[in-house]
Amino acid sequence: MNFADSYRQSITDPQTYWANEAKLIDWHAPFSTVLDDSNPPFTKWFVGGKTNLCHNAVDRWVATQGDQPALIAVSSETEDGQLHEKIYTFAELQAEIERTAAIMLSLGVAKGDRVLIYMPMIAEAIFAMLACARIGAIHSVVFGGFASNSLATRIDDAKPALIVSADAGSRNGKAIAYKPLLDEAIKLARHKPAHVLLVDRRLVPMTMIAGRDADYAALRRQYIDAQVPITWLDSNDTSYILYTSGTTGKPKGVQRDVGGYAVALASSMKHIFCGKPGETYFATSDIGWVVGHSYIVYGPLIAGMATVMYEGLPIRPDAGVWWSIVEKYKVTRMFSAPTAVRVLKKQPPEYMKKHDTSSLKALYLAGEPLDETTSQWIASALGVPIIDNYWQTETGWPILSIAKGIEDKPTRLGSPGVPMAGYKVKILNESTGAVCGANEKGVVVLEGPLPPGCMQTIYGDDDRFVKTYWSNFSNEQVYSTFDWGIRDADGYYFILGRTDDVINVAGHRLGTREIEESISSHPNVSEVAVVGIEDKMKGQVAVAFVIPKNADAAATPESRRALEAEVMAIVDKQLGAVARPSRVHFVTLLPKTRSGKLLRRSIQAICEGRDPGDLTTIEDPMSLEQIRAALAG
Ligand code: PRX
């Protein structure tokens, strides 16, 4: 079947299409209904079916390829910067997961309980995720780069019975203590987890809290021979929650099911990523982000592939580190982000040439717009196709791409491609809701029902799910991606950035409102506006404009520098360095409408040297002059 026919069937007859795809995974009990969309926008896939993500990712493969690599954990965060590698076969991975699952059960974790995972990129993090999946606990991984306040908000929302963490992460050979941040977060949070399970890497000393904190190594020894059977789950049970940023300061808990997610990943691994059992997959993301969930952990393993988990920078010990991994483990499919490629592009080319990357068949890039120069550079350096793919935490797998596993349809520079199976993509005019013509800019929306694998709801808040995503157009109920886009005459889509206050820094999705709230907690900050501005390397960076309470505090260049450093430090402490603005400017006025709404798009336009747009509602035009002056100064 060619791609057009296959896609058409997924839209006109989703029952048949997805029932076929569902054969790619193991079911403990068959489903009775493929799709239940009787209560839109809530969608249930494979109703009545029973399955398990851990079974499909690991146990299923033990019988046929138990002695083959499943998890290849590589770290360059070592004292000498040289690579440290540990390989777990499918059988070994299963044993580790059973140990971790037994520990969790011994700590009272039951089906449906939440387990928050705040971990660096070490194998134990994957054991913990899969152990949750095995016993039906709901994991919520929080990115290790986040700090106390970010963690506390998530603890209060997810109310975990257990938190799994470690003494420290490491960046460029320098230990970054996690435990004090975690202790502080638990202190800040209203909800107190009964237990904290800690992996001691012996990077920094840890103070254990008696009665609450448990040592992973000691418990692992105790449960070394544990056997923990799979808990068969309903297809629509919840597998995990992953928090992501939006327009408000409160992160949204994207909630995912079990059966639909497993099928979507198996299907995308076959048709988009073309993965085969026995091959090796390498995604350079982090388990704290959705790419890590779908394409470091679940996707490759469900496809029977070995997956590489890499802790470290792309340039340590040198800029050839990723290619040395490709060479050594004969990686066939690799997934990364444009920012990482731009970092490598600045390095001398010999690092790439030093390694034999001939096993590699394609490089997949996602998370931010892929510019043509970056795409062409890496394509010619590697000599493989570069496959852009566009999606979101909310969807869990690509909305737009090129399904090379079905048909070798050409890619188009600057475009992530065409809609993947089950996604009914439309571009709507922001104000009228009318469908845009070819090459006309509008909001990218998806018509319901969304395909398997997409979010079920916002954890604990169905109303917010409907209001946030499905209520942006009065004429029809569609899912808004909050991205601008266009569709060309041939049906290829182009993504033109966010319509809301979300920014994308080096592929990391951040909410400007969260950063503003953090900055506002500084005692000398009266008002603040944070916008994302274009950056050649990182795609975007955050820039803050602050009105100080006491103007004297920003009267001289020295005092401004000192206050800027304080503001940055408060963001580091509360949210994590990943959210730190690249610059903090001081003004006495911020551009607002007469009704008091911040004119963020105008601020952003001025920062990027563009026309600030319609200013008929502005309260005081002098405020824009202040932004210009602050940038010039
Ligand atoms: O703005 C789009 C951008 O990243 C957002 C989703 O980020 P996140 O939830 O972290 O999920 C990333 C999954 C890959 C989108 O709303 N984005 C993602 N992929 C692309 C992209 N923008 C342009 N091109 C892409 N390929």
PDB file of all heavy atoms in Angstrom, residues 499-520:
ATOM      1  N   THR A 499       1.874  30.135  19.176  1.00  0.00           N
ATOM      2  CA  THR A 499       0.899  31.225  19.247  1.00  0.00           C
ATOM      3  C   THR A 499       0.732  31.697  20.693  1.00  0.00           C
ATOM      4  O   THR A 499       0.105  32.699  20.955  1.00  0.00           O
ATOM      5  CB  THR A 499      -0.494  30.768  18.773  1.00  0.00           C
ATOM      6  OG1 THR A 499      -1.003  29.792  19.697  1.00  0.00           O
ATOM      7  CG2 THR A 499      -0.457  30.169  17.387  1.00  0.00           C
ATOM      8  N   ASP A 500       1.257  30.923  21.656  1.00  0.00           N
ATOM      9  CA  ASP A 500       1.040  31.268  23.064  1.00  0.00           C
ATOM     10  C   ASP A 500       2.345  31.720  23.712  1.00  0.00           C
ATOM     11  O   ASP A 500       3.281  32.108  23.033  1.00  0.00           O
ATOM     12  CB  ASP A 500       0.434  30.075  23.825  1.00  0.00           C
ATOM     13  CG  ASP A 500       1.348  28.848  23.775  1.00  0.00           C
ATOM     14  OD1 ASP A 500       2.468  28.951  23.219  1.00  0.00           O
ATOM     15  OD2 ASP A 500       0.949  27.798  24.305  1.00  0.00           O
ATOM     16  N   ASP A 501       2.410  31.674  25.033  1.00  0.00           N
ATOM     17  CA  ASP A 501       3.592  32.190  25.727  1.00  0.00           C
ATOM     18  C   ASP A 501       4.609  31.108  26.040  1.00  0.00           C
ATOM     19  O   ASP A 501       5.370  31.207  27.001  1.00  0.00           O
ATOM     20  CB  ASP A 501       3.159  32.911  27.008  1.00  0.00           C
ATOM     21  CG  ASP A 501       2.287  34.100  26.684  1.00  0.00           C
ATOM     22  OD1 ASP A 501       2.532  34.732  25.637  1.00  0.00           O
ATOM     23  OD2 ASP A 501       1.357  34.382  27.449  1.00  0.00           O
ATOM     24  N   VAL A 502       4.599  30.060  25.230  1.00  0.00           N
ATOM     25  CA  VAL A 502       5.588  28.998  25.412  1.00  0.00           C
ATOM     26  C   VAL A 502       6.814  29.323  24.570  1.00  0.00           C
ATOM     27  O   VAL A 502       6.684  29.796  23.442  1.00  0.00           O
ATOM     28  CB  VAL A 502       4.995  27.633  24.993  1.00  0.00           C
ATOM     29  CG1 VAL A 502       6.075  26.579  24.818  1.00  0.00           C
ATOM     30  CG2 VAL A 502       3.962  27.175  26.023  1.00  0.00           C
ATOM     31  N   ILE A 503       7.999  29.122  25.138  1.00  0.00           N
ATOM     32  CA  ILE A 503       9.209  29.319  24.339  1.00  0.00           C
ATOM     33  C   ILE A 503       9.974  28.008  24.274  1.00  0.00           C
ATOM     34  O   ILE A 503       9.743  27.098  25.064  1.00  0.00           O
ATOM     35  CB  ILE A 503      10.095  30.463  24.882  1.00  0.00           C
ATOM     36  CG1 ILE A 503      10.532  30.184  26.324  1.00  0.00           C
ATOM     37  CG2 ILE A 503       9.371  31.789  24.774  1.00  0.00           C
ATOM     38  CD1 ILE A 503      11.575  31.165  26.813  1.00  0.00           C
ATOM     39  N   ASN A 504      10.884  27.939  23.327  1.00  0.00           N
ATOM     40  CA  ASN A 504      11.582  26.699  23.056  1.00  0.00           C
ATOM     41  C   ASN A 504      13.083  26.998  23.060  1.00  0.00           C
ATOM     42  O   ASN A 504      13.624  27.512  22.100  1.00  0.00           O
ATOM     43  CB  ASN A 504      11.117  26.217  21.677  1.00  0.00           C
ATOM     44  CG  ASN A 504      11.441  24.772  21.471  1.00  0.00           C
ATOM     45  OD1 ASN A 504      12.504  24.306  21.869  1.00  0.00           O
ATOM     46  ND2 ASN A 504      10.539  24.056  20.835  1.00  0.00           N
ATOM     47  N   VAL A 505      13.728  26.710  24.181  1.00  0.00           N
ATOM     48  CA  VAL A 505      15.149  27.019  24.322  1.00  0.00           C
ATOM     49  C   VAL A 505      15.936  25.720  24.161  1.00  0.00           C
ATOM     50  O   VAL A 505      15.830  24.827  25.002  1.00  0.00           O
ATOM     51  CB  VAL A 505      15.455  27.656  25.696  1.00  0.00           C
ATOM     52  CG1 VAL A 505      16.939  27.982  25.830  1.00  0.00           C
ATOM     53  CG2 VAL A 505      14.616  28.908  25.912  1.00  0.00           C
ATOM     54  N   ALA A 506      16.702  25.639  23.097  1.00  0.00           N
ATOM     55  CA  ALA A 506      17.497  24.440  22.814  1.00  0.00           C
ATOM     56  C   ALA A 506      16.630  23.181  22.886  1.00  0.00           C
ATOM     57  O   ALA A 506      17.027  22.154  23.429  1.00  0.00           O
ATOM     58  CB  ALA A 506      18.666  24.344  23.788  1.00  0.00           C
ATOM     59  N   GLY A 507      15.418  23.274  22.346  1.00  0.00           N
ATOM     60  CA  GLY A 507      14.538  22.104  22.336  1.00  0.00           C
ATOM     61  C   GLY A 507      13.824  21.875  23.658  1.00  0.00           C
ATOM     62  O   GLY A 507      13.023  20.959  23.781  1.00  0.00           O
ATOM     63  N   HIS A 508      14.090  22.713  24.669  1.00  0.00           N
ATOM     64  CA  HIS A 508      13.394  22.586  25.951  1.00  0.00           C
ATOM     65  C   HIS A 508      12.185  23.508  25.957  1.00  0.00           C
ATOM     66  O   HIS A 508      12.307  24.710  25.739  1.00  0.00           O
ATOM     67  CB  HIS A 508      14.299  22.979  27.128  1.00  0.00           C
ATOM     68  CG  HIS A 508      15.529  22.153  27.255  1.00  0.00           C
ATOM     69  ND1 HIS A 508      15.544  20.815  26.963  1.00  0.00           N
ATOM     70  CD2 HIS A 508      16.782  22.450  27.646  1.00  0.00           C
ATOM     71  CE1 HIS A 508      16.760  20.336  27.167  1.00  0.00           C
ATOM     72  NE2 HIS A 508      17.536  21.322  27.570  1.00  0.00           N
ATOM     73  N   ARG A 509      11.036  22.943  26.253  1.00  0.00           N
ATOM     74  CA  ARG A 509       9.797  23.721  26.246  1.00  0.00           C
ATOM     75  C   ARG A 509       9.581  24.379  27.604  1.00  0.00           C
ATOM     76  O   ARG A 509       9.516  23.696  28.622  1.00  0.00           O
ATOM     77  CB  ARG A 509       8.652  22.781  25.911  1.00  0.00           C
ATOM     78  CG  ARG A 509       7.292  23.404  25.996  1.00  0.00           C
ATOM     79  CD  ARG A 509       6.285  22.478  25.353  1.00  0.00           C
ATOM     80  NE  ARG A 509       4.950  22.830  25.735  1.00  0.00           N
ATOM     81  CZ  ARG A 509       3.886  22.142  25.359  1.00  0.00           C
ATOM     82  NH1 ARG A 509       4.011  21.070  24.608  1.00  0.00           N
ATOM     83  NH2 ARG A 509       2.682  22.510  25.746  1.00  0.00           N
ATOM     84  N   LEU A 510       9.497  25.694  27.612  1.00  0.00           N
ATOM     85  CA  LEU A 510       9.371  26.439  28.867  1.00  0.00           C
ATOM     86  C   LEU A 510       8.247  27.460  28.770  1.00  0.00           C
ATOM     87  O   LEU A 510       7.987  28.004  27.701  1.00  0.00           O
ATOM     88  CB  LEU A 510      10.689  27.192  29.160  1.00  0.00           C
ATOM     89  CG  LEU A 510      11.958  26.351  29.265  1.00  0.00           C
ATOM     90  CD1 LEU A 510      13.177  27.264  29.225  1.00  0.00           C
ATOM     91  CD2 LEU A 510      11.952  25.524  30.544  1.00  0.00           C
ATOM     92  N   GLY A 511       7.604  27.720  29.903  1.00  0.00           N
ATOM     93  CA  GLY A 511       6.542  28.717  29.925  1.00  0.00           C
ATOM     94  C   GLY A 511       7.087  30.047  30.420  1.00  0.00           C
ATOM     95  O   GLY A 511       7.702  30.111  31.484  1.00  0.00           O
ATOM     96  N   THR A 512       6.872  31.131  29.644  1.00  0.00           N
ATOM     97  CA  THR A 512       7.400  32.428  30.091  1.00  0.00           C
ATOM     98  C   THR A 512       6.704  32.873  31.386  1.00  0.00           C
ATOM     99  O   THR A 512       7.284  33.556  32.207  1.00  0.00           O
ATOM    100  CB  THR A 512       7.207  33.521  29.016  1.00  0.00           C
ATOM    101  OG1 THR A 512       5.849  33.492  28.594  1.00  0.00           O
ATOM    102  CG2 THR A 512       8.108  33.296  27.837  1.00  0.00           C
ATOM    103  N   ARG A 513       5.437  32.447  31.578  1.00  0.00           N
ATOM    104  CA  ARG A 513       4.723  32.827  32.807  1.00  0.00           C
ATOM    105  C   ARG A 513       5.391  32.223  34.046  1.00  0.00           C
ATOM    106  O   ARG A 513       5.444  32.854  35.101  1.00  0.00           O
ATOM    107  CB  ARG A 513       3.275  32.337  32.762  1.00  0.00           C
ATOM    108  CG  ARG A 513       2.427  33.022  31.751  1.00  0.00           C
ATOM    109  CD  ARG A 513       1.978  34.410  32.213  1.00  0.00           C
ATOM    110  NE  ARG A 513       1.444  35.138  31.088  1.00  0.00           N
ATOM    111  CZ  ARG A 513       0.163  35.129  30.732  1.00  0.00           C
ATOM    112  NH1 ARG A 513      -0.708  34.450  31.435  1.00  0.00           N
ATOM    113  NH2 ARG A 513      -0.239  35.801  29.681  1.00  0.00           N
ATOM    114  N   GLU A 514       5.877  30.996  33.926  1.00  0.00           N
ATOM    115  CA  GLU A 514       6.551  30.372  35.077  1.00  0.00           C
ATOM    116  C   GLU A 514       7.810  31.165  35.427  1.00  0.00           C
ATOM    117  O   GLU A 514       8.114  31.390  36.590  1.00  0.00           O
ATOM    118  CB  GLU A 514       6.981  28.935  34.736  1.00  0.00           C
ATOM    119  CG  GLU A 514       5.875  27.928  34.707  1.00  0.00           C
ATOM    120  CD  GLU A 514       6.322  26.652  34.002  1.00  0.00           C
ATOM    121  OE1 GLU A 514       6.882  25.765  34.665  1.00  0.00           O
ATOM    122  OE2 GLU A 514       6.122  26.566  32.776  1.00  0.00           O
ATOM    123  N   ILE A 515       8.526  31.593  34.386  1.00  0.00           N
ATOM    124  CA  ILE A 515       9.756  32.357  34.624  1.00  0.00           C
ATOM    125  C   ILE A 515       9.399  33.705  35.243  1.00  0.00           C
ATOM    126  O   ILE A 515      10.040  34.159  36.190  1.00  0.00           O
ATOM    127  CB  ILE A 515      10.573  32.517  33.315  1.00  0.00           C
ATOM    128  CG1 ILE A 515      10.841  31.142  32.678  1.00  0.00           C
ATOM    129  CG2 ILE A 515      11.889  33.251  33.574  1.00  0.00           C
ATOM    130  CD1 ILE A 515      11.526  31.174  31.325  1.00  0.00           C
ATOM    131  N   GLU A 516       8.335  34.330  34.741  1.00  0.00           N
ATOM    132  CA  GLU A 516       7.901  35.621  35.305  1.00  0.00           C
ATOM    133  C   GLU A 516       7.526  35.486  36.778  1.00  0.00           C
ATOM    134  O   GLU A 516       7.880  36.331  37.603  1.00  0.00           O
ATOM    135  CB  GLU A 516       6.699  36.163  34.523  1.00  0.00           C
ATOM    136  CG  GLU A 516       7.096  36.724  33.170  1.00  0.00           C
ATOM    137  CD  GLU A 516       5.899  37.107  32.305  1.00  0.00           C
ATOM    138  OE1 GLU A 516       4.743  36.940  32.751  1.00  0.00           O
ATOM    139  OE2 GLU A 516       6.128  37.557  31.182  1.00  0.00           O
ATOM    140  N   GLU A 517       6.801  34.413  37.103  1.00  0.00           N
ATOM    141  CA  GLU A 517       6.393  34.233  38.505  1.00  0.00           C
ATOM    142  C   GLU A 517       7.599  34.083  39.410  1.00  0.00           C
ATOM    143  O   GLU A 517       7.640  34.593  40.521  1.00  0.00           O
ATOM    144  CB  GLU A 517       5.473  33.010  38.631  1.00  0.00           C
ATOM    145  CG  GLU A 517       4.057  33.347  38.227  1.00  0.00           C
ATOM    146  CD  GLU A 517       3.117  32.155  38.243  1.00  0.00           C
ATOM    147  OE1 GLU A 517       3.417  31.154  38.933  1.00  0.00           O
ATOM    148  OE2 GLU A 517       2.085  32.230  37.562  1.00  0.00           O
ATOM    149  N   SER A 518       8.602  33.360  38.906  1.00  0.00           N
ATOM    150  CA  SER A 518       9.808  33.168  39.696  1.00  0.00           C
ATOM    151  C   SER A 518      10.523  34.509  39.901  1.00  0.00           C
ATOM    152  O   SER A 518      10.896  34.869  41.018  1.00  0.00           O
ATOM    153  CB  SER A 518      10.714  32.165  38.977  1.00  0.00           C
ATOM    154  OG  SER A 518      11.961  32.129  39.581  1.00  0.00           O
ATOM    155  N   ILE A 519      10.671  35.284  38.826  1.00  0.00           N
ATOM    156  CA  ILE A 519      11.369  36.577  38.923  1.00  0.00           C
ATOM    157  C   ILE A 519      10.605  37.525  39.855  1.00  0.00           C
ATOM    158  O   ILE A 519      11.199  38.264  40.641  1.00  0.00           O
ATOM    159  CB  ILE A 519      11.560  37.197  37.513  1.00  0.00           C
ATOM    160  CG1 ILE A 519      12.516  36.322  36.690  1.00  0.00           C
ATOM    161  CG2 ILE A 519      12.070  38.640  37.598  1.00  0.00           C
ATOM    162  CD1 ILE A 519      12.739  36.785  35.263  1.00  0.00           C
ATOM    163  N   SER A 520       9.278  37.457  39.800  1.00  0.00           N
ATOM    164  CA  SER A 520       8.449  38.337  40.645  1.00  0.00           C
ATOM    165  C   SER A 520       8.681  38.101  42.129  1.00  0.00           C
ATOM    166  O   SER A 520       8.368  38.964  42.946  1.00  0.00           O
ATOM    167  CB  SER A 520       6.969  38.099  40.380  1.00  0.00           C
ATOM    168  OG  SER A 520       6.672  38.453  39.078  1.00  0.00           O
TER     169      SER A 520
END
